[in-house]
């Protein structure tokens, strides 16, 4: 007997995505999914972001780490609610684990949830976790060919951060090559060239983020009237 | 290595369908995968073969079909196939394009035997 069908293989993940999205919409919470290579500066970007946002917004962080809790420890000093996920070897996050983190949060008091996904440019891009936007983080020492080698992440991203621009003079990184390749893959995505640890360019990223948070809150308000 | 995780999801879906349809064994499974899924066929096949024997799909053959990425230009309306992840309209050069196909990750056919034969 042959059964013909068209069924999503990731249906279980997608079901939880719907629940996550509903939960976030109810409480008007924006959720961002930060994706980039190991060491690209995802946690450093979170540090810079928390330093710049926590006065105006309630930010909650979900930290995914394959093994340690080091990244969570680095972020504790900001006092933002912090949820740690040890993926135990998994190369990406799925929506069920995000839902159990959201279950522990007082979402009514939170404006934005920022997730640091597992350091990886391929697998996390393939799993929807109910986020409103994926943010791709790439960094200068990785080389200027990352968009062309990992196009799907850069295509799916709603913003791209090029981190560690302070290191450009010490490498053969060619910013024009990076930008040209990125534009072929995603011609409309905002690009933030910055130094998460040095501070250069961070303000433009924060301004975009503030706008994004305010826009999502405004949309949700009109939708509920 | 997200192929492993996706294949695990596939086994779950197969088990559910087999139960619903009363299948006791499965000979063949067909899947359809879009070009934006970054699936390496060899890894997907390997993960399927390595895992299938502890599932109802033990011994089953896997057939994969890959779907090209398609896009529509938001400026001139042209419909085109995205080659080498270049999301640029071939007709007018616009980069404001919408992907309309290529994200599929579907099971499209299961061949098996029922409990009673
Ligand atoms: N020079 C320079 N170094 C940076 C910058 N941002 C981060 N780093 C350094 O890069 C290293 C890795 O940064 P992390 O923020 O831990 O990177 P990550 O992406 O969170 O790493 P994983 O979580 O392990 O995947 C650290 O030593 C940072 O201090 C930057 O803008 N400039
Ligand atoms: Mg980190
Ligand atoms: Zn066009």
């Amino acid at each position: 007997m042959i059964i013909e069908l068209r069924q999503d293989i990731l249906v279980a993940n997608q079901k939880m995505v719907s629940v996550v999205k509903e939960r976030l919409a109810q409480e008007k919470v924006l959720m961002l999914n930060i994706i980039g290579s190991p060491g690209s500066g995802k946690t450093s970007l979170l540090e810079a972001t928390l330093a710049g946002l926590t006065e105006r917004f309630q930010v909650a962080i979900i930290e995914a780490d394959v093994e340690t809790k080091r990244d969570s420890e680095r972020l504790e000093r900001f006092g933002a609610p912090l949820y740690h996920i040890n993926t135990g070897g998994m190369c990406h996050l799925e929506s069920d684990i995000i839902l159990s983190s959201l279950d522990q949060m007082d979402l009514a008091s939170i404006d934005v949830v920022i997730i640091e996904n597992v350091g990886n440019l391929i697998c996390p891009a393939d799993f929807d976790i109910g986020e409103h936007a994926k943010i791709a983080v790439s960094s200068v020492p990785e080389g200027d060919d990352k968009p062309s080698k990992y196009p799907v992440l850069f295509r799916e991203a709603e913003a791209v951060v090029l981190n560690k621009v302070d290191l450009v003079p010490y490498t053969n990184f060619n910013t024009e090559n990076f930008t040209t390749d990125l534009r072929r893959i995603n011609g409309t995505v905002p690009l933030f060239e910055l130094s998460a640890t040095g501070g250069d360019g961070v303000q433009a990223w924060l301004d975009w983020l503030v706008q994004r948070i305010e826009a999502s809150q405004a949309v949700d308000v009109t939708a509920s009237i | 290595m997200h192929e492993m995780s996706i294949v695990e999801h596939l086994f779950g879906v197969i088990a559910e369908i087999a139960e619903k349809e009363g299948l006791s064994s499965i000979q063949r499974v067909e899947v359809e995968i879009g070009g934006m899924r970054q699936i390496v066929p060899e890894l997907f096949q390997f993960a399927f073969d390595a895992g299938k024997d502890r599932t109802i799909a033990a011994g089953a053959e896997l057939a994969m079909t890959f779907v090209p990425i398609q896009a529509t230009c938001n400026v001139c309306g042209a419909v085109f196939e995205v080659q080498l992840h270049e999301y640029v309209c071939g007709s007018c050069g616009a980069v404001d394009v919408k992907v309309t196909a290529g994200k599929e990750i579907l099971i499209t056919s299961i061949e098996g035997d029922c409990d009673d034969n």
Side-chain angles (χ1 to χ4, degrees):
Chain A
M1 148 174 183
I2 298 179
I3 303 159
E4 307 272 355
L5 69 170
R6 289 186 73 76
Q7 148 111 55
D8 186 351
I9 292 171
L10 298 180
V11 60
N13 188 62
Q14 291 311 121
K15 271 185 194 153
M16 290 299 140
V17 162
S18 310
V19 180
V20 167
K21 282 187 188 294
E22 219 168 90
R23 192 79 58 87
L24 295 171
Q26 265 166 15
E27 304 293 349
K28 293 168 192 156
V29 177
L30 178 72
M31 190 164 86
L32 304 176
N33 181 6
I34 311 261
I35 303 175
S37 330
S40 56
K42 299 178 295 300
T43 307
S44 303
L45 181 68
L46 280 177
E47 290 174 300
T49 303
L50 284 171
L53 275 191
T54 44
E55 255 178 38
R56 281 182 73 177
F57 297 104
Q58 282 300 320
V59 189
I61 302 289
I62 299 177
E63 259 300 330
D65 247 328
V66 177
E67 286 297 343
T68 71
K69 283 193 85 165
R70 285 192 194 181
D71 284 355
S72 297
E73 285 157 16
R74 276 167 63 187
L75 297 173
E76 268 164 13
R77 66 190 165 99
F78 295 97
L82 191 61
Y83 301 85
H84 182 86
I85 296 170
N86 217 313
T87 65
M90 273 258 276
C91 54
H92 62 274
L93 289 169
E94 296 191 16
S95 54
D96 52 348
I97 203 160
I98 295 300
L99 187 59
S100 38
S101 296
L102 294 185
D103 279 341
Q104 301 166 44
M105 292 183 197
D106 172 25
L107 280 180
S109 69
I110 291 168
D111 299 307
V112 53
V113 175
I114 309 182
I115 300 164
E116 178 176 345
N117 214 311
V118 183
N120 185 317
L121 290 169
I122 295 189
C123 310
D126 223 14
F127 283 85
D128 199 352
I129 51 178
E131 76 279 63
H132 296 97
K134 294 182 175 69
I135 313 291
V137 179
S138 196
S139 68
V140 166
E142 295 167 59
D144 52 33
D145 57 359
K146 289 300 150 303
S148 53
K149 281 188 170 168
Y150 302 93
V152 172
L153 170 62
F154 290 91
R155 175 70 202 172
E156 299 274 287
E158 204 179 291
V160 174
V161 169
L162 173 61
N163 187 31
K164 311 194 190 182
V165 292
D166 52 298
L167 298 180
V168 168
Y170 310 103
T171 65
N172 63 354
F173 188 94
N174 183 322
T175 307
E176 203 182 312
N177 289 351
F178 182 93
T179 313
T180 309
D181 286 349
L182 176 64
R183 289 303 164 218
R184 253 192 267 189
I185 293 158
N186 194 339
T188 54
V189 73
L191 167 64
F192 300 99
E193 300 174 37
L194 57 82
S195 171
T197 51
D200 280 355
V202 169
Q203 193 55 48
W205 154 252
L206 289 174
D207 291 345
W208 179 84
L209 208 52
V210 167
Q211 258 187 14
R212 188 68 180 79
I213 297 168
E214 285 174 347
S216 77
Q217 290 177 341
V219 166
D220 285 348
V221 169
T222 15
S224 65
I225 287 169
Chain B
M1 277 302 281
H2 59 311
E3 286 84 357
M4 289 273 214
S5 308
I6 294 176
V7 165
E8 279 311 312
H9 281 279
L10 174 60
F11 288 141
V13 171
I14 293 171
E16 248 170 53
I17 296 167
E19 168 147 8
K20 199 173 95 198
E21 304 285 342
L23 301 177
S24 56
S25 70
I26 289 169
Q27 282 92 53
R28 188 178 156 88
V29 174
E30 289 182 21
V31 298
E32 193 175 297
I33 299 170
M36 286 191 87
R37 286 291 175 173
Q38 309 176 93
I39 297 292
V40 180
E42 294 75 18
L43 288 180
F44 199 86
Q45 183 74 57
F46 177 81
F48 184 84
D49 290 336
K52 66 186 179 187
D53 286 344
R54 55 179 169 74
T55 78
I56 188 166
E61 169 194 5
L62 172 71
M64 283 176 268
T65 308
F66 286 86
V67 184
I69 306 170
Q70 271 223 346
T72 304
C73 175
N74 285 332
V75 176
C76 77
V79 173
F80 61 99
E81 192 173 303
V82 174
Q83 309 272 2
L84 301 170
H85 291 281
E86 193 158 320
Y87 298 83
V88 180
C89 174
S91 307
C92 76
V95 292
D96 182 9
V97 306
K98 186 179 163 39
V99 171
T100 53
K103 294 186 183 176
E104 299 74 4
I105 184 94
L106 302 171
I107 176 162
T108 54
S109 161
I110 291 189
E111 186 179 341
D113 289 323
C114 288
D115 292 328
D116 49 12
N117 58 22

